[in-house]
Every structure is written in structure tokens, then in C-alpha cells.
Amino acid sequence: MNPTEMTATQLVEAYTTRELSPVETTTAVLDRIDEIDGSLGAYCYLDRKTALEQARASESRWHADQPQGLLDGVPASIKDIFLTAGWPTLRGSGAVDPDQPWTVDSPVAARLRSDGMVFVGKTTTPELAWKAVTDSPLTGITRNPIDPRLTAGGSSGGASAAVAAGMGPCAVGTDGGGSIRIPAAFCGIVGFKPTHGRIPMFPASPFGPLAHAGPMTRTVEDAALLMDILSSPDYRDPTSLAPPQTTYRSAVHREVTGIHVAYSPDLGFAFVDPEVAQIIEAAVTLIENAGLNVTAEDPGFPDPLEAFDILWSSGAATLLEKMPGARDTVDPGLGRLWDQGKRHTAVEYLQARDVVAQVGIAMGAFHERHDILLTPTVGIPAFEAGHDVPPGSGMDHWPQWATLSYPFNLTQQPAISIPVGTTAAGLPVGLQIVGPRHADDLVLAVAHFVEQLLA
């Protein structure tokens, strides 16, 4: 099999049996990037020399039967939001000076490095990861491997495009309002936003309690393996959680038949394209027939868009105010968000936090009755690249079409997107699986169950 088409789990099996080496895999991934990324724009930084050095070191460990970690020698990309020692972290912004020492690993980069994974490069992000598509004045437009005329989604669109196009089986993204799950749905891969604090982040995100880090892979099993690597606490993140009580790679195979599942087609307030709705309905019917107790029920909270907008714009303004020269280079849409955030008062911010608390309480009560919530990940398929909102939609900012994802950043719950079908035009559709806070293992187990059911 072509290494660029293999999952991380398959690659480790091939390393174990000596059917394949990390050097062969890394070379194939780098060649694949050279071949196709010019038309996709998934990567903003490549380091062939370092990648091959790391692959050779991994190959030596495998030859000695002493792998360093769970995914030793597996190529990984890192979103250009995470500090990575030796590489610039420009965050899609022309206001960040690349000519400075880059000596610090974020917790994500440090965990991947200690596991022995091979660092291929950094993936693109919109400026400061501010929106749910991926383009910036610095890196241009990132396109969807399924159809390059369309967006890959965002803000982890580079990561999603890389995984979907065979340019590395593992990526790590960030998610402040859907930024892992949306591009995963648009590109037809798995994207998991764990409970807030499960994967530590440093420096602290300006979007604060909305911001999560998580794996983006081809399979749920690979996502679980990455969770085991990434989930150790880090003192630099005071919100990071204690170590997990179990391994995610074992929990992903737990029995889930008989659990109580709620299905909400639109959360009671989101627009969902009829074709997307039909594909999700078909998947939910299969899930019910396979032994899960499915009930149609909305969670019962009103659309918290206004509260999200206040928190999101306030975070953007807080960061941009500290970036000299940003006003001269900023993405125009981010500039408007900056201005909006500067107008909000502390009272308005705290009032928005109160709305967040009420949504969280509503979801807590909901999960007293239902173990899991199912929804579409995004109500629409991928749309034309180069636009923040679907052309002709009448919308003026991205959260208006990301209605199904941002509520669960407010509540900090674990939520995953897995592909469950395609439209008549061949565009992927994602199913979102949401669990109670700290039930990351259950969300992964249900996602794996559904993935196997639809295989």
C-alpha cells in the first residue's frame, strides 16, 4: 500500500513487521506535498531536512525494537498556531516578525516530539485562527482536496486538507468555534475537540475558555492514539486537567450499544441544507437500528450567537492590541472584529459569560437524560473558496453558518466530527457527536462504533 494512503495505526504495524520504514513513509509524504500542495495551500512551512533526520532516528529505534512512543516515526503536521522549537510560528499574520529566536515548544509540539513522531511542517491558518475558513493575507487561500474550487473550512483548514490529501496522516488543530470540526466535515476526515483543558495549551489563547486543541486524522482510532499522546497536563496551562484515568486507545473499543442518544437535526435554531439533513437522518437511522436508543430532542437553549460574538471579538481585540503594526497588515474581516471587540465593556463580557453558564447548565441537565447528542457538524457543504460566508447567503460573518459547532465551545464539551456520507456533488458531510464534559472516552467510543457501522 502507498504510505500516503495509510493510517497512523497501519504505519506502526508496518514498522513493527519491517514492511515499511519511517524514512520511506516520510519521503513519500514529502514527495506528495511537493506534488500537490501547490494547488491546495495546506502547508505554510516545510522542513524536509529535519523531517528526514527525525525519520532516520526513528528508523534506528525501530531496528533496535525500541520505539520511543505510540506513533514513533509517523509523520505529523502542526498548525501554525502552536509554538514549535526551531520553526517560526507566524499565526497567519504579517504582524509577527519571523526573524526572532524560536526556542520554545508548546505542550502539543513537546508531546509529539517526545513520542518520536516526525515533524513534516506547519499547516496554514487564517490570521490568528479567527474564522472558519482558511485564508490570510500572509499565506493566501487554502483549498479543499475534494474540489479545489471550494474552501477546506477553518481555522484548521490547512491541517484538514493535509490529512485528507495524503500529506501526512496526523495533524493537530485548534477549535474556538468549530475550527477542528468544520474543516474535518468539509474535507471528509475525523476531527475531535476534547473537553477544555484536556490538551494543554501555551501560550494561552486570546479566545480563552473557548479555545481547545485536538487531533485531526483519518480514523477515530488514530485520534484516540493522538489523545493518549497529547493529554498529559502542563504547568504552563493552569486550566489543564489531571491525567486521564484510562487510555483512549482502549476506551475507543468499549461497548456502547444500549446507551441513550438524542438526535437534534438543527439544535432548534440552525439552518441545515435539505441534502445534508437527509444524509444525517440516514446515518441516525442506521445507528438506531444497530442498538442505540435514539430519541429526537433538541437541547432546549436559544441560539447563543450574541454571547459568542462578544467573547470572540473581545479575545481578538485583546491580542491585536498587543501586536505593533497589526493595523497595517490585518485581514480586513479581522480588523472589523478588532473594532467590535474594543467597543464591548467588562459588564457586557460578564453578561455574555452568564449566558454561557446558562447554556452549560442546560446541556448538563440534557445529559442527565441522554448520554450523547447527535447533530450535523455543519448545516451546509463546503462552499466557494475565498469567502468568509457562502456567496449569496446574505450572511455577514462566519458564526452565522457555524451555528451547530460554537455552542459546544461555550460549554467546553467534547465533540467530534466523523464523515457519514457525501452529497450528490461528492462533497463530504459530517456527523457531530457531543458528550458531557469529561466524557471524551465515550464520545470517541461512539464515534468509533458509528465509523465501523458505516464502513
Side-chain angles (χ1 to χ4, degrees):
M1 184 184 292
N2 184 333
T4 65
E5 299 173 357
M6 298 171 70
T7 67
T9 302
Q10 290 170 333
L11 289 173
V12 169
E13 291 172 356
Y15 297 164
T16 303
T17 60
R18 309 285 174 88
E19 295 175 27
L20 195 63
S21 78
V23 172
E24 291 172 322
T25 298
T26 301
T27 300
V29 168
L30 290 167
D31 289 347
R32 176 76 170 160
I33 295 168
D34 289 342
E35 176 189 354
I36 69 169
D37 198 42
S39 63
L40 297 177
Y43 282 89
C44 58
Y45 187 87
L46 287 173
D47 189 345
R48 178 179 283 266
K49 180 175 180 289
T50 296
L52 289 172
E53 286 174 354
Q54 292 177 343
R56 284 191 286 270
S58 173
E59 188 172 87
S60 296
R61 293 191 292 270
W62 279 105
H63 284 166
D65 292 323
Q66 294 180 334
Q68 188 167 303
L70 296 173
L71 296 177
D72 194 342
V74 173
S77 65
I78 301 174
K79 184 178 179 179
D80 193 33
I81 290 294
F82 298 108
L83 290 176
T84 306
W87 291 353
T89 301
L90 304 184
R91 296 182 286 179
S93 177
V96 178
D97 180 9
D99 187 21
Q100 58 178 291
W102 299 101
T103 59
V104 176
D105 267 341
S106 61
V108 162
R111 301 294 186 271
L112 299 179
R113 197 186 299 277
S114 66
D115 195 74
M117 298 188 76
V118 173
F119 288 10
V120 175
K122 305 202 83 172
T123 53
T124 51
T125 175
E127 189 166 10
L128 309 181
W130 80 274
K131 60 183 176 180
V133 295
T134 300
D135 59 62
S136 79
L138 185 67
T139 60
I141 296 172
T142 299
R143 299 179 180 275
N144 195 316
I146 308 300
D147 183 343
R149 296 172 299 177
L150 308 180
T151 180
S155 64
S156 305
S160 189
V163 172
M167 296 186 287
C170 293
V172 184
T174 61
D175 190 316
S179 289
I180 286 172
R181 292 159 289 155
I182 290 167
F186 279 0
C187 293
I189 67 165
V190 173
F192 182 43
K193 179 191 78 69
T195 300
H196 187 269
R198 182 71 281 156
I199 296 175
M201 297 178 71
F202 173 84
S205 169
F207 301 112
L210 301 175
H212 304 59
M216 304 179 74
T217 58
R218 294 195 189 117
T219 66
V220 177
E221 187 173 27
D222 280 3
L225 283 165
L226 273 178
M227 285 295 296
D228 281 336
I229 294 167
L230 296 168
S231 291
S232 301
D234 190 294
Y235 74 90
R236 296 173 293 176
D237 183 352
T239 70
S240 61
L241 302 177
Q245 298 298 306
T246 185
T247 65
Y248 294 109
R249 63 185 182 276
S250 60
V252 78
H253 299 289
R254 66 184 277 189
E255 180 62 52
V256 297
T257 53
I259 68 169
H260 292 274
V261 174
Y263 165 53
S264 174
D266 57 8
L267 294 181
F269 49 76
F271 169 78
V272 177
D273 177 89
E275 191 174 11
V276 170
Q278 185 177 24
I279 291 167
I280 297 296
E281 290 271 4
V284 171
T285 298
L286 285 175
I287 292 167
E288 184 173 25
N289 292 340
L292 276 65
N293 297 307
V294 178
T295 303
E297 185 177 340
D298 296 329
F301 57 83
D303 186 357
L305 176 59
E306 183 179 359
F308 178 82
D309 280 344
I310 290 171
L311 299 180
W312 195 250
S313 60
S314 298
T318 299
L319 179 58
L320 286 159
E321 288 290 313
K322 297 186 294 185
M323 296 177 65
R327 184 61 75 176
D328 298 330
T329 62
V330 71
D331 178 320
L334 180 55
R336 290 190 292 273
L337 190 72
W338 182 357
D339 292 337
Q340 177 187 337
K342 289 170 62 177
R343 292 193 294 269
H344 293 308
T345 67
V347 170
E348 289 172 328
Y349 186 91
L350 292 174
Q351 287 172 337
R353 292 291 303 153
D354 184 62
V355 172
V356 169
Q358 296 309 311
V359 176
I361 291 168
M363 283 306 303
F366 185 79
H367 284 297
E368 290 290 301
R369 305 188 302 277
H370 307 290
D371 300 302
I372 288 290
L373 169 65
L374 305 178
T375 77
T377 305
V378 193
I380 56 175
F383 52 87
E384 184 181 346
H387 301 272
D388 292 356
V389 300
S393 66
M395 300 176 184
D396 58 23
H397 66 314
W398 67 265
Q400 291 171 309
W401 59 263
T403 322
L404 293 156
S405 55
Y406 63 72
F408 306 110
N409 293 84
L410 297 174
T411 62
Q412 304 185 340
Q413 295 173 246
I416 194 169
S417 178
I418 62 170
V420 292
T422 56
T423 67
L427 302 180
V429 172
L431 174 71
Q432 181 172 230
I433 303 169
V434 183
R437 278 168 49 89
H438 311 297
D440 304 79
D441 54 341
L442 177 60
V443 171
L444 287 165
V446 173
H448 183 258
F449 176 85
V450 177
E451 180 183 64
Q452 296 303 302
L453 183 64
L454 296 170

